[in-house]
Amino acid sequence: MTATYRAAVITRPGGPEVLEIRDLPLPAPSRGELRVRLRACGIGATDLIMLAGKYRFAPKLPIVGGYEIAGVVDAIGPDVTGFRIGQRVAALTVHGGFAEYLVREARHFVPIPDQVSDVEAAAVILNYVSAWQMIHRVAKVEKGARALVTGAGGGVGTALLQLLGLAGVTTYGMASSPKHALVTKLGALPIDYRDGPIDRLVRSREPNGVDFAFDALGGKSISQCLSAVKRGGLVVGYGFLTANSQLAQARMFFDTFVTSRLRGRRGAFYGISLLYRRDARPFLEDLPKIFALVAERRIEPVIAEVVPLARARQALELLATGKVAGKMVVRF
């Protein structure tokens, strides 16, 4: 009999309802590849975009979703060195993670320290490396700076709050009021986005404006963030939560790269997948740094819920409501 494994397959564009649990033939690793038995996979907003058929880096349907994984090396292909059977590893997969097994080139995998659990590893790969790179590689923040984080209760938002705190930055976290206790716990000053425009709310606390804004919302939020930062300040956009049309996205990029200059500010857009495809080295350098911070308990990923693969659809439905605080994880 041919060995099989279970996977949550995206069969057509849509919402979480298009996921189907299927049995697929178990492949052997080819030259330069590892086969990994998965133990955990992160769930994030990118998975919703992939479900809708709008994610530019996804292969053609049907596909297995799942952006980031932690697991154990199960089989090693020819010409692979530096790994062993049973070794715990993690990777930014972009797709393929909602499954019991994954085969991918060995160069994509990073060892997981013993002090970091499988769930913790899966929870930090996308969110915390994204936050780290925006803070240290894009913004290059310095101690004593002041920053704004929109979507502060989400997966990347909570990562930004923790890592900005470690960097000695005074941070304002914009989130709905039910998430304010979490924002405060993570060392930031909460702002309720329902109380008014972003720039007015920030300027009421920082009359001169903040030095940096990290924006998950997109759309018109970019323009308001530009008004919230001081002249010479930087807005880093990384999400499309409120940019639901091509026109809104076009305006978002126009504001990021053109309006920002006209108003004496700076704009940048960050996308971890695009950077990883261009050059994987920064990611492979930064993920071990994040694992070290978790191992030393200097950061603690905010885990909203851990679910089995059979409940991946329900987890994505919950994520789509916008009420999730922190990161959701599938555990196998």
Side-chain angles (χ1 to χ4, degrees):
M1 292 180 60
T2 302
T4 62
Y5 69 103
R6 291 187 309 152
V9 181
I10 303 172
T11 58
R12 65 187 188 279
E17 74 282 352
V18 305
L19 276 184
E20 293 184 10
I21 303 297
R22 293 182 176 180
D23 288 333
L24 302 177
L26 183 64
S30 299
R31 188 175 304 277
E33 293 181 333
L34 296 178
R35 186 173 71 197
V36 174
R37 177 168 53 85
L38 272 59
R39 287 182 171 178
C41 177
I43 303 175
T46 306
D47 294 305
L48 296 175
I49 300 173
M50 195 174 302
L51 279 170
K54 297 180 179 179
Y55 192 63
R56 61 180 295 192
F57 300 116
K60 293 182 179 180
L61 299 178
I63 62 170
V64 177
Y67 207 93
E68 55 200 322
I69 64 92
V72 176
V73 176
D74 173 74
I76 299 175
D79 296 338
V80 174
T81 60
F83 294 94
R84 66 182 188 278
I85 300 296
Q87 183 178 12
R88 296 170 63 235
V89 293
L92 184 77
T93 57
V94 180
H95 59 88
F98 292 154
E100 293 175 327
Y101 287 87
L102 173 83
V103 173
R104 200 64 57 91
E105 291 176 302
R107 63 186 178 88
H108 295 292
F109 292 95
V110 173
I112 302 173
D114 292 340
Q115 302 91 335
V116 179
S117 72
D118 300 319
V119 169
E120 288 174 328
V124 301
I125 297 166
L126 170 62
N127 293 347
Y128 283 76
V129 174
S130 292
W132 177 275
Q133 292 187 337
M134 284 190 281
I135 292 168
H136 296 290
R137 292 187 181 268
V138 180
K140 296 180 173 63
V141 303
E142 295 182 355
K143 184 177 181 180
R146 296 179 179 272
L148 166 70
V149 174
T150 68
V156 179
T158 54
L160 281 164
L161 298 187
Q162 292 185 60
L163 294 175
L164 285 167
L166 284 182
V169 176
T170 298
T171 306
Y172 295 91
M174 183 159 285
S176 59
S177 55
K179 298 179 181 179
H180 281 192
L182 174 61
V183 171
T184 301
K185 179 182 177 181
L186 297 178
L189 304 167
I191 299 177
D192 194 334
Y193 68 87
R194 295 170 181 158
D195 288 343
I198 294 172
D199 50 345
R200 180 173 64 80
L201 294 173
V202 172
R203 292 278 181 169
S204 68
R205 296 160 174 80
E206 295 285 344
N208 295 325
V210 292
D211 301 288
F212 303 98
F214 299 90
D215 181 62
L217 305 179
K220 65 180 182 181
S221 177
I222 291 291
S223 178
Q224 293 182 13
C225 284
L226 288 172
S227 296
V229 301
K230 61 182 63 173
R231 290 187 65 84
L234 173 67
V235 175
V236 182
Y238 67 92
F240 302 88
L241 292 179
T242 63
N244 297 319
S245 67
Q246 290 185 342
L247 179 60
Q249 292 182 15
R251 180 56 191 262
M252 166 183 165
F253 284 108
F254 183 86
D255 285 339
T256 300
F257 297 110
V258 179
T259 305
S260 59
R261 294 183 181 182
L262 296 175
R263 295 167 63 178
R265 276 77 173 169
R266 296 173 294 141
F269 187 81
Y270 172 86
I272 190 170
S273 294
L274 180 60
L275 293 178
Y276 189 75
R277 287 167 69 92
R278 288 176 177 172
D279 184 359
R281 287 175 298 176
F283 173 85
L284 298 175
E285 291 173 1
D286 293 341
L287 181 56
K289 298 173 187 175
I290 296 299
F291 282 162
L293 291 174
V294 177
E296 296 164 6
R297 298 301 149 187
R298 298 182 64 194
I299 59 173
E300 183 177 352
V302 179
I303 309 296
E305 189 173 356
V306 180
V307 302
L309 180 63
R311 288 188 54 210
R313 178 188 298 181
Q314 291 88 338
L316 286 162
E317 289 172 347
L318 179 59
L319 182 66
T321 67
K323 297 179 180 179
V324 175
K327 185 74 172 181
M328 303 188 75
V329 178
V330 171
R331 180 162 55 191
F332 301 88

